[in-house]
Amino acid sequence: MTDPRTTQLAQSLIRHSCCVQPGEHVLLEIIDAPDEITIELIRAVRAAGAYPHVNLRHARVTREMFAGATDAQYESIAAFELAEMKAMDAYIAIRGGYNSFELSSVPAEKMKLTQKHLRAVHNQRVCRTKWCVLRWPNPAMAQGAGMSTEAFEDFYFRCCLADYDKLKVAMDRLAERMMRTDRVHIVGPGTDLSFSIKGMPAIPCAGELNIPDGEVFTAPVRDSVNGTIFYTAPTVYQGIPFDGIRLRFCNGKIVEASCNGDSEALNKILDTDEGSRFIGEFALGVNPEVLQPMRDILFDEKIAGSFHFTPGQAYENCDNGNRSQVHWDLVCIQRKDYGGGEMYFDDELVRRDGIFVDPELSILNPAVH
């Protein structure tokens, strides 16, 4: 028997996240997720009067394809997938997977090759379709979160089925405040960072593009970033785990990068292209249900009391001009249990130790269970 929360989630993705309309074509990309969610999504698409299309993928198969990639092969694959994406009105990806590090053995040059060819497909999906991306809970994710499988599933559905309409009221207020701001100054252990967001839009995300959701994002003026940052949350990129990433900026560019581990791999990613050493996104995580990192960026970037500062590509709807094959959401949690810290907008304290000081934003502060 299908979990009723699965049915509710599928309906929310179609009705709320992508607002699917009659006659639209919806691509469902399912990666290592159970048939139950796929079937519920197909039914929800049809109930909306639209047409479901399904791609089933598996991470181990993708790893094998990437490991032997050639330019000729991925030029052809990208052309096929781009044509398919251009025929779609909406895209929903359910990304399961039993090993966060499945792609770690793919040579860096092969990852760069595949990214180069598939970037046009990604850009078409992000800029030209309605879309939403989410993970699917499994024991590996529960282990990463330090939770039992059952407890993690309860946490997952609680986050994904949150009352985003209620959160959005406060998120809109935060976005308005950000759009009145010129200078941002962030301080904390290992962090003393300043930059400008003057003239940049601030966009609240309330369940439309990612599930779980809960962030307000903008972008720094490209050359305005100066100082240092220490990312307190661990991360995985291209299948490689990183901890304790430290960056130093001068006039927008990352001029020093190190981590607790493979700093050579870190710098290789940052040397992908010119734009990968500049920042394409600055966002505040505000989902009060998401508190601890689990090396899964769709959750980690929404952590209450955090912000992410992203090397690489800027979003089209918040464009500071930075272009890159990379978009790496790196997260700094500023709650007391992660060392604390302060965030200032035009020299006015906005958040201390992960807690917004404005009572109108208090709903965005960390939940207590």
Side-chain angles (χ1 to χ4, degrees), residues 185-195 225-235 242-249 254 256-261 263 266 279 282 293 295 305-311 329-343 351:
H185 185 202
I186 304 173
V187 295
T191 296
D192 190 345
L193 191 69
S194 63
F195 52 94
V225 184
N226 285 284
T228 58
I229 184 171
F230 172 67
Y231 293 99
T232 54
T235 184
F242 294 93
D243 294 87
I245 291 178
R246 303 169 182 83
L247 304 178
R248 185 170 72 86
F249 294 84
I254 299 168
E256 290 183 16
S258 63
C259 64
N260 300 336
S263 293
L266 168 64
I279 296 297
F282 163 59
R295 293 190 192 269
S306 77
F307 69 93
H308 48 280
F309 206 58
T310 306
D329 292 315
L330 295 169
V331 176
C332 179
I333 306 170
Q334 290 197 297
R335 299 198 315 269
K336 281 186 176 180
D337 48 333
Y338 282 84
E342 298 175 344
M343 183 178 296
R351 197 167 71 174

Side-chain angles (χ1 to χ4, degrees), residues 100-308:
S100 299
F101 310 122
E102 191 65 60
L103 300 180
S104 62
S105 62
V106 177
E109 64 273 15
K110 296 297 186 180
M111 289 297 300
K112 185 175 181 179
L113 182 155
T114 58
Q115 285 187 325
K116 176 183 71 174
H117 288 292
L118 294 174
R119 172 54 61 178
V121 183
H122 177 271
N123 289 345
Q124 174 69 25
R125 186 258 292 179
V126 170
C127 301
R128 298 288 182 264
T129 73
K130 299 179 289 185
W131 60 273
C132 188
V133 174
L134 64 159
R135 298 287 189 254
W136 190 256
N138 57 48
M141 292 175 68
Q143 185 176 30
M147 301 169 70
S148 71
T149 302
E150 182 177 355
F152 181 78
E153 287 180 355
D154 289 341
F155 159 76
Y156 172 87
F157 282 110
R158 188 171 67 245
C159 295
C160 292
L161 297 172
D163 187 348
Y164 290 114
D165 289 334
K166 185 177 180 180
L167 288 175
K168 192 173 186 302
V169 174
M171 292 167 70
D172 285 342
R173 294 190 188 113
L174 176 58
E176 291 167 6
R177 178 68 179 84
M178 292 169 71
M179 285 189 285
R180 298 197 307 269
T181 297
D182 177 2
R183 302 298 305 178
V184 177
H185 185 202
I186 304 173
V187 295
T191 296
D192 190 345
L193 191 69
S194 63
F195 52 94
S196 173
I197 55 174
K198 184 177 182 179
M200 301 301 298
I203 300 171
C205 299
E208 297 91 357
L209 303 179
N210 290 159
I211 298 290
D213 214 346
E215 67 173 284
V216 181
F217 76 90
T218 184
V221 175
R222 187 176 184 269
D223 299 330
S224 71
V225 184
N226 285 284
T228 58
I229 184 171
F230 172 67
Y231 293 99
T232 54
T235 184
V236 175
Y237 194 75
Q238 296 178 353
I240 304 171
F242 294 93
D243 294 87
I245 291 178
R246 303 169 182 83
L247 304 178
R248 185 170 72 86
F249 294 84
C250 183
N251 297 327
K253 187 174 183 178
I254 299 168
V255 294
E256 290 183 16
S258 63
C259 64
N260 300 336
D262 196 343
S263 293
E264 181 179 353
L266 168 64
N267 279 277
K268 187 172 292 187
I269 293 169
L270 296 175
D271 287 333
T272 297
D273 49 42
E274 176 64 23
S276 53
R277 283 189 177 264
F278 289 81
I279 296 297
E281 180 188 4
F282 163 59
L284 280 70
V286 296
N287 190 317
E289 298 287 351
V290 186
L291 300 178
Q292 307 301 334
M294 46 186 283
R295 293 190 192 269
D296 189 315
I297 197 57
L298 281 181
F299 284 82
D300 294 356
E301 68 178 358
K302 315 304 189 323
I303 290 172
S306 77
F307 69 93
H308 48 280

